[in-house]
Each structure stands twice: as structure tokens, then as C-alpha cells.
Amino acid sequence: MHIRPARAADLPRLVAAHGQHHYFEQRIARQPTLGIVLIAERAGTVAGSAFLRLAPAEEWELRERLPKVPIFSHLEVLPEHRGNGVGTKILAAAEGLARGQQRRRMVLGVKPDDRTAFDLYSRNGYADWGLGVINALVVDYDDQGRRTHSTERCHIMIKDLGR
């Protein structure tokens, strides 16, 4: 398993694996200012990906209460690679990148009904932030690349990354 920041040349493979052409195109184009797209490869194929946002949060609750805390999001592991620790390894790689940016904590959001994600993050040291559920911003793209916005309720989890 190899996990690294995605490059522009990875876009076709990410899109073939996950779809979401405009999502990945926009995020890769704005690296590292906005954040970093991580790609996990196993035997030369895409096994999963995630996004580590380094720019200020779009949600006011996170921007005000957790300034400069990177946000881990959009973790996707292809079905044939699930259950093999891919998600855990991507999460660990994101934590390493955050530490490399001199960040001491990392935050993420979990949908209230996503028990699998909640369990993964809990096993890896994330705990509820204690300030309630928020309406997290969801950015989608239509077929022409136009952005649409919506919100979804999320439990916020945080981890102290140590020094």
C-alpha cells in the first residue's frame, strides 16, 4: 500500500475509481493552498482517497472554535479494498501531513447514521468535540462543473495529534 498526495496526472485514475471529476479536478488544482488530496494505491490501482483541508473551514462553527485545525473528509475506499486497513492507513497518512504542517489536532465530520465511519474514527483516537452536531457544507458539481451547495448534519470528532 502506498499513500501520497495526488498529482494532476492522477485525475483520470481517481475519476475512474470514484467518479466526481470536477470535485477532484478542483481540489488537485488548488493544492496545497486549499488542502491535499491523498491517493492510496495497491498493486498499481487506486484503492482509496481522501481530502485533508488545510485552509480555514467553510463552516463557521469550525472556523471560530477550531481555527487552523485541518479537516479530514471525503474518505472513500473502493469496495474490493474495504476491510483491509486502507481507510486507517489513509487516515494515518493525513495525520502525518497535518503534523508536518505543524498542526496539533485534526477534525472530521461523521453523518449521524454512519456507524462504520464512527467506529473507524473512534478506534483511531477521535472523540466527539462536545459542542453538538453542526450543519456541514456539502459541495457537489453538476455535469458541467457548476458548484452546488447543500448541508448535512454531522457529528464532529477531533483528535490531538501530539507533538
Side-chain angles (χ1 to χ4, degrees):
M1 173 73 51
H2 180 64
I3 302 167
R4 61 174 173 78
R7 299 181 292 262
D10 294 316
L11 182 61
R13 294 182 333 116
L14 283 165
V15 172
H18 301 301
Q20 307 171 63
H21 174 83
H22 298 289
Y23 173 87
F24 287 110
E25 180 180 58
Q26 292 294 320
R27 276 160 179 72
I28 290 172
R30 295 180 65 196
Q31 290 185 128
T33 305
L34 180 63
I36 300 168
V37 175
L38 292 167
I39 182 171
E41 300 167 303
R42 177 177 276 158
T45 63
V46 174
S49 63
F51 183 65
L52 180 64
R53 184 182 181 90
L54 299 170
E58 295 175 301
E59 297 84 0
W60 71 266
E61 298 96 334
L62 299 178
R63 203 171 42 252
E64 288 184 8
R65 296 174 178 162
L66 298 171
K68 298 185 180 181
V69 175
I71 303 164
F72 182 79
S73 67
H74 212 81
L75 174 63
E76 294 188 61
V77 177
L78 293 169
E80 60 270 26
H81 295 283
R82 291 182 187 152
N84 295 312
V86 175
T88 299
K89 290 174 183 166
I90 294 171
L91 182 60
E95 291 171 0
L97 284 171
R99 282 187 199 95
Q101 294 282 320
Q102 307 305 308
R103 311 291 180 99
R104 300 291 176 232
R105 296 182 289 176
M106 200 163 85
V107 68
L108 52 85
V110 179
K111 295 176 192 174
D113 62 344
D114 193 345
R115 192 70 203 175
T116 301
F118 181 83
D119 290 346
L120 167 70
Y121 300 130
S122 293
R123 279 193 313 271
N124 284 280
Y126 288 80
D128 187 275
W129 76 329
L131 298 170
V133 175
I134 71 166
N135 287 317
L137 180 66
V138 177
V139 177
D140 287 311
Y141 296 87
D142 67 17
D143 292 339
Q144 287 74 43
R146 291 181 299 246
R147 290 169 53 127
T148 60
H149 298 92
S150 60
T151 60
E152 65 186 14
R153 305 285 289 160
C154 281
H155 291 282
I156 302 301
M157 300 180 80
I158 191 164
K159 180 178 179 178
D160 181 353
L161 300 177
R163 297 195 162 255

